[in-house]
Amino acid sequence: MIQTTDKVNLRTYNTFGIEAKADEFITCNSIDDIKSTLKYLKNNPQPYLILGGGSNILFCKDFEGIIIHPQITDITLLKQDDSNVWLEVGAGVVWDDLVEHCVNNNWYGLENLSYIPGNVGASPVQNIGAYGVEAKDCIESVNGFYIDSTEAFELSNNECRFAYRQSIFKSELKNKTIISSVVFKLNKQESYKLNYGDVKEQVESFGKVTLRSVRQTITNIRKSKLPEPEEMGNAGSFFKNPVIGIELFQEIKGQYPTIPSYPISEQLVKVPAGWLIEQSGWKGKAIGDAAVHSKQALVLINKGNATGNDILKLAHQIIKDVNNQFNITIEPEVNII
């Protein structure tokens, strides 16, 4: 039997540390809990929100409805062969705990995604990525339930329609599913992806390149750029890195020869949103307690008493200034509620 809690303060459930309340709150610790919650929702129709680790969300008001908090934390070895292992991982597993588990077992594939905040259930929704690797590279399938029909589903990697920070769960199936677990296919054979920025150089400074040294390097890089949410509220990267046409890129490069870039195709180039924001003069600047981090312009922070609307106001001003200077419209990566 599920337990619902009324008028829950969501401050500890979002890494921005924003004060907001939910009318009702249900934690799902098992598949049976999810089924019971869907039945409850069917009998008590109301707005709902699936909330994982709260590391990619900005509350701008109280949530007038029910928060569903999946907390299935099993990690199961489904099968293995000479080359690969297949793990089924509960949606409530902390993402970085999964990466640590894989590194400890000498399973390759997720190490570049070390120290990303949030839970496993959000990884296919956002197709999280960092340092040349995306979650889709290792996801075999995603399991869950359709909210309206309460039927279970298993979607293959192809069916998830992964793209840059995108998936079917952010398009056709947005707000229509609860993810219960994700199946990952990992490599037993030594394999690294280090050709992103100066990652290779920093890893090699440890001496021998190992899973552990790669994980430590990525963790060190992220810690040097990102404040701890417990110390300074944030949701990591607030904006997506924009992908622009080659003509616009060449035009900007003519004025800013050192602009960093990552070719996507012959016609498209990805440029760092953090660089655009810094060039627009926002790095380290603040509007009240809503601020741009002084070490990484891609990160917006709550200096203590900012509201969600304060953060949003700052984001809108940054978007406006970047567009005026570069003719590029950057988009939030964070879900705004």
Side-chain angles (χ1 to χ4, degrees):
M1 187 72 179
I2 58 169
Q3 295 273 331
T4 68
T5 308
D6 296 336
K7 299 300 179 184
V8 171
N9 190 326
L10 300 172
R11 180 165 190 158
T12 59
Y13 291 97
N14 73 94
T15 57
F16 259 120
I18 299 294
E19 291 275 359
K21 287 186 173 62
D23 286 349
E24 289 187 78
F25 192 98
I26 297 178
T27 298
C28 296
N29 295 307
S30 65
I31 295 294
D32 285 343
D33 283 354
I34 292 178
K35 291 178 179 178
S36 296
T37 298
L38 293 180
K39 184 177 179 180
Y40 175 80
L41 192 58
K42 201 157 197 167
N43 293 330
N44 300 272
Q46 59 186 299
Y48 57 83
L49 174 68
I50 314 302
L51 180 64
S55 62
N56 196 45
I57 198 164
L58 177 66
F59 286 105
C60 293
K61 57 185 177 182
D62 290 342
F63 188 76
E64 297 178 351
I66 184 169
I67 299 282
I68 302 171
H69 187 47
Q71 280 293 283
I72 300 172
T73 56
D74 301 322
I75 299 179
T76 304
L77 178 60
L78 295 178
K79 62 178 181 177
Q80 59 182 311
D81 58 24
D82 290 342
S83 300
N84 300 103
V85 297
W86 286 259
L87 295 181
E88 182 174 7
V89 185
V93 172
V94 174
W95 175 262
D96 199 51
D97 289 350
L98 169 63
V99 179
E100 176 72 10
H101 180 76
C102 293
V103 169
N104 286 342
N105 284 279
N106 293 314
W107 298 330
Y108 297 78
L110 299 181
E111 57 279 357
N112 284 35
L113 304 182
S114 292
Y115 212 64
I116 292 178
N119 292 353
V120 165
S123 62
V125 179
Q126 187 73 4
N127 185 25
I128 59 173
Y131 304 103
V133 174
E134 293 179 319
K136 71 173 179 61
D137 301 333
C138 292
I139 290 176
E140 180 87 347
S141 60
V142 178
N143 301 307
F145 293 83
Y146 295 111
I147 292 172
D148 285 346
S149 69
T150 73
E151 292 180 1
F153 68 78
E154 180 181 4
L155 296 182
S156 69
N157 184 294
N158 286 337
E159 289 172 324
C160 289
R161 299 182 194 171
F162 290 122
Y164 173 63
R165 301 297 181 272
Q166 186 61 262
S167 72
I168 194 171
F169 304 106
K170 290 183 71 176
S171 52
E172 293 100 311
L173 294 182
K174 185 175 182 179
N175 299 325
K176 295 180 180 179
T177 66
I178 296 180
I179 292 172
S180 56
S181 66
V182 182
V183 176
F184 294 90
K185 180 183 178 182
L186 302 163
N187 201 334
K188 285 183 173 181
Q189 311 301 321
E190 191 171 22
S191 175
Y192 304 104
K193 292 185 179 180
L194 304 178
N195 296 321
Y196 193 98
D198 62 349
V199 171
K200 189 172 188 290
E201 180 182 337
Q202 292 202 39
V203 172
E204 289 176 343
S205 70
F206 279 91
K208 183 177 170 68
V209 177
T210 64
L211 269 177
R212 181 58 58 187
S213 66
V214 172
R215 173 164 165 73
Q216 190 61 57
T217 296
I218 298 298
T219 299
N220 290 348
I221 292 172
R222 291 186 68 86
K223 282 185 174 181
S224 71
K225 295 179 178 180
L226 302 172
E228 296 287 349
E230 295 82 6
E231 300 171 5
M232 200 173 291
N234 73 92
S237 299
F238 193 91
F239 297 99
K240 301 176 187 176
N241 291 321
V243 176
I244 62 175
I246 191 68
E247 291 184 4
L248 176 58
F249 173 72
Q250 293 297 347
E251 182 182 326
I252 295 171
K253 189 175 176 62
Q255 189 173 355
Y256 300 89
T258 61
I259 178 174
S261 62
Y262 305 94
I264 300 296
S265 67
E266 290 185 3
Q267 298 300 320
L268 297 173
V269 178
K270 182 165 68 176
V271 295
W275 184 89
L276 298 171
I277 295 166
E278 184 172 351
Q279 295 301 310
S280 299
W282 276 102
K283 189 175 183 180
K285 297 288 183 66
I287 300 178
D289 268 9
V292 181
H293 190 43
S294 60
K295 293 183 179 180
Q296 171 52 273
L298 198 56
V299 178
L300 304 190
I301 58 175
N302 175 6
K303 294 172 69 177
N305 296 306
T307 66
N309 285 313
D310 292 336
I311 302 289
L312 189 59
K313 179 182 177 182
L314 173 64
H316 284 160
Q317 189 59 55
I318 291 169
I319 291 169
K320 179 182 176 182
D321 288 355
V322 168
N323 184 262
N324 286 342
Q325 186 161 340
F326 295 101
N327 197 27
I328 296 173
T329 301
I330 56 175
E331 299 178 357
E333 186 173 319
V334 169
N335 295 308
I336 298 166
I337 304 298

